[in-house]
Amino acid sequence: MSVQPQARRLTLADLGKRHQAGEKLVMLTCYDASFAALSEAAGVELLLVGDSLGNVVQGQDSTLPVTLREMGYHTAAVRRGSAQAMIVADMPFGASQISPEETFRNAVPLMASGAQMVKLEGGEEMAETVRFLVSRGIPVCGHIGLTPQSVHQLGGFRVQGKNEADAERLLKDALALEAAGAAMLVLEAMPATLGEAVTNSLCIPTIGIGAGAKTSGQVLVIYDMLNISAGKKPRFVKNFMAGAASVQAAVAAYVQEVKAGTFPSAEFSY
Ligand code: KIV
């Protein structure tokens, strides 16, 4: 009788090896146990418990009302539903735009709920906080470009880094976050050329959402790519449900296209 090795959860070291090997990384948002199990079975490597749950689960018009307690609740559900995928949890609005010490305190319940990494929005100004968390055992994913928690400051959900000065600032932000110890960086809504330039300037993987095909991996909001979220969708969202026989087949098609580097094509890029 042969004993099958138990599937184990993806670690930062595994992720680093895949990135070094030039493999594209597949991330998808996830808010509950059922979608966690389904996404993992379809090959998703990174489950992001995004504060986009404010929009797609709670019906809010922004991510701002989402609380730390709610993030912990959904993170725990995703953890229970999965066995292999790496779990990344968003720091909600107000939980990280404070001192490094308080941010650490706020990250603790997310890690205790099963996250392996927290994601926080912002550039160079977050570097000190990132350094503080990382040096105390909490892996951090940065998030630059269109940062939805700053929607009122940005004046809407707009593509970022379109002019030279903004592009340079974003590149500087990315380098500062990497130097502070961030393990990964989400790049949201920027020209594909900038997504590529930032990716090529870093050693850590970049995960794009509307940042072109040359980032190290991709992420989408699951309800968007299944075409079940309400309202107009951003250009970078592809409806993977079209022509798919099941939800799992749609997620598997997304995984396959990201791994092959065929998603996003120019149609879904800026
Ligand atoms: O909350 C979220 O879903 C996100 C993705 C858009 C990257 O941060």
Side-chain angles (χ1 to χ4, degrees):
M1 192 181 87
S2 71
V3 178
Q4 293 298 316
Q6 287 257 306
R8 66 165 179 82
R9 206 172 277 282
L10 200 74
T11 64
L12 261 185
D14 300 324
L15 209 63
K17 278 186 204 146
R18 290 181 193 187
H19 175 54
Q20 288 303 319
E23 223 186 283
K24 294 277 186 188
L25 304 174
V26 188
M27 180 188 261
L28 194 57
T29 70
C30 191
Y31 318 104
D32 67 38
S34 298
F35 273 118
L38 179 148
S39 298
E40 181 175 273
V44 174
E45 297 162 299
L46 293 142
L47 297 173
L48 171 64
V49 188
D51 61 356
S52 51
L53 70 86
N55 303 92
V56 296
V57 177
Q58 298 177 340
Q60 317 272 11
D61 62 5
S62 79
T63 58
L64 304 191
V66 177
T67 66
L68 193 57
R69 201 185 169 94
E70 289 162 350
M71 289 307 303
Y73 172 89
H74 287 279
T75 301
V78 169
R79 177 80 188 203
R80 287 190 292 268
S82 64
Q84 295 173 51
M86 176 176 280
I87 300 172
V88 183
D90 256 341
M91 298 289 288
F93 179 61
S96 58
Q97 292 88 350
I98 41 178
S99 70
E101 289 81 357
E102 280 182 86
T103 304
F104 179 85
R105 237 170 262 131
N106 288 335
V108 167
L110 299 182
M111 300 300 285
S113 297
Q116 292 161 277
M117 187 184 304
V118 296
K119 175 166 83 59
L120 46 84
E121 296 184 8
E124 201 171 5
E125 74 284 0
M126 298 306 295
E128 192 191 340
T129 296
V130 171
R131 193 168 287 112
F132 191 90
L133 265 58
V134 171
S135 65
R136 283 156 182 80
I138 300 186
V140 178
C141 174
H143 181 162
I144 60 170
L146 171 54
T147 44
Q149 291 174 11
S150 305
V151 59
H152 299 302
Q153 186 71 36
L154 297 173
F157 296 99
R158 298 169 197 281
V159 180
Q160 302 295 303
K162 289 209 288 192
N163 64 49
E164 207 175 313
D166 286 348
E168 261 175 38
R169 181 183 46 79
L170 286 173
L171 184 54
K172 218 165 143 235
D173 284 339
L175 291 168
L177 291 166
E178 178 177 71
M184 200 160 64
L185 215 52
V186 165
L187 308 180
E188 180 165 357
M190 61 183 67
T193 47
L194 180 57
E196 181 174 6
V198 172
T199 301
N200 290 343
S201 307
L202 302 177
C203 295
I204 57 171
T206 57
I207 306 290
I209 173 164
K214 296 298 167 87
T215 52
S216 322
Q218 299 290 329
V219 59
L220 283 177
V221 170
I222 187 163
Y223 289 16
D224 287 349
M225 55 83 83
L226 295 178
N227 202 31
I228 51 176
S229 49
K232 189 172 177 292
K233 298 192 194 15
R235 177 188 171 115
F236 55 75
V237 175
K238 177 172 175 179
N239 173 10
F240 282 90
M241 221 28 229
S246 65
V247 169
Q248 184 155 342
V251 175
Y254 165 68
V255 172
Q256 189 273 323
E257 289 192 28
V258 173
K259 286 283 180 197
T262 52
F263 175 78
S265 59
E267 185 191 346
F268 301 103
S269 304
Y270 300 107

